[in-house]
Amino acid sequence: MPDERFDVMVIGGGPNGLTCAAYLARAGAKVVVLDKRFELGGTMSTDDYSTPFLYNLCQFALPLGRDLPPYQDLELERQAIRLMEPDPSLAFVPAGGGEPLVVRRDGTGLDGRLRELFDAVDQAVLPLLYTAPQPVDEVEQRMSSGNGGGAALELAKMTPQQLGEAAGDARARGLLRYLCGLAGFFAPDEPLGLMGAFLVARMIRPTIVVGGTKTLALGLFRAGAAAGAQYRIVSDVDRIDVGGGQVRVATRDGREFAGRAVVSTLDPKTTFLDLLDAGVVPEPLRQAAQAWQFEPAGTFIGHFGIKGQPPIIGTEQASQALLQVVGFADEAAVARHLEAVSQGRLPEEPSGHLSVTTRHDPLQAAPGPYGPLHTLRYDTLAPYQPDTGAWDRRRALEYRNRCWDFLGRQTAGLAGARLLFSFSDSPLDLERRFRTAKHGSVRQGALTRGQTFANRPHPDASGTRTPIPGVYLGGGGVHPGIPGSLGGGYNAARAICQDLGLERWWPEPAVRRAPVTAGT
């Protein structure tokens, strides 16, 4: 007999799982969230490591802010969840000197035509995040015949190399190529597709959470707990069994839960090949899971807590940008870096981007009498499995020191600050820490055109429902796949409400009601 019975069991207490549970609990479902870790929040994790600084361990900048349906529906602002929209958002500082390129949230700093393309794909794709996915060919066909949709499609058909070539400024070409790499597009000739183009466009308009991304996860948790959702941490699910009109979930420590439905926020490979018995997984889904592609590289993240003034990079205006790209002379240098990491090689220099977190949110370092204190975050794309040997503690420490020394050469004033604390996570560390961060990426699978919309992960499961009775997908490996959109959990909650006869208490998302010009 199972230890506990529920209406819905949610595997994974990350942002999507917490979102799904909060909506379903308010709809009257008896819900439990099961998470492997000792705390909830998943990749939206913030920790102080017993220091005066807050470090966002994985996700930091989000693609959406107040546009997030849960922000309004769950009244997160009333729970003191505050969002900030940094401006300027981006800076590209050419290695070896030269005037930095600074890009504002409205795209100022980029060519006018590029701004039009980014605006078009933003307006066209945003309403599609929170609706049932259709075949990408149909979506593109509708856009090609709609007013304004052609511009979005033009950007979607571009490769990273073509996007760079569309910029007249050499610095903009380097910046755009780098943003494509951050979106998981390492090869120069892979078309971005609508979702990839949308993700790149949203990097120009990032949102951060005051107090760290963990506060958003805590807001989702409080909303669910207030409605009666239950949570079980240190619950490492290793099996899903279906049959007899119910679903059973077992954990590695021998506990068992039963219910009418289960939502897996884990990637398709883990869900269909590891957790479910092969006999219940239809052959098309099994093949899709086997063929599912993760990104070839991830992110090495260094966290530094300093006493003293934050570094200046290029100019004062560039130093105010949220993401300050350093170490690349031009687009060719970015391309060489991306090629190296995708082939398992560590680049000669750990070029990447710096974020002085406390410039935008002073709460992420203690004010205290001993300051000024500042939290620095440094991201550099790195191979998941370096050819020099797998990431271990020694290699990660050495690479973190390389990043710190590199920042000292790329900035002004950092030598005058005192480094108090430093921590880091390699792509392998991130995967070990967060079950959903495969290869050190939060996307649970590349956002290439063939892995988006109805193909994420397969037409039979992209709308969160699967052919397996009672089994739903609700993570980043299902439509829409945009990290930080909360779309996987949101869409799963909507489907389960309908299937279990629960009252859907929330309205259609404002982004779907808003007029768009893409034929949607």
Side-chain angles (χ1 to χ4, degrees), residues 217-230:
L218 289 175
L220 294 168
F221 161 74
R222 289 194 295 267
Q230 299 183 42

Side-chain angles (χ1 to χ4, degrees), residues 5-10 20 24 29-33 258-263 472 496 500 502:
R5 292 184 178 275
F6 295 88
D7 294 318
V8 184
M9 299 159 293
V10 180
C20 185
L24 290 175
K30 185 179 180 182
V31 184
V32 66
V33 177
R260 302 168 63 188
V262 62
V263 180
Y472 297 77
I496 291 174
L500 299 191
L502 302 171

Side-chain angles (χ1 to χ4, degrees), residues 173-185:
R173 292 196 292 271
L175 175 62
L176 293 173
R177 186 70 180 90
Y178 181 76
L179 295 182
C180 289
L182 288 184
F185 291 85

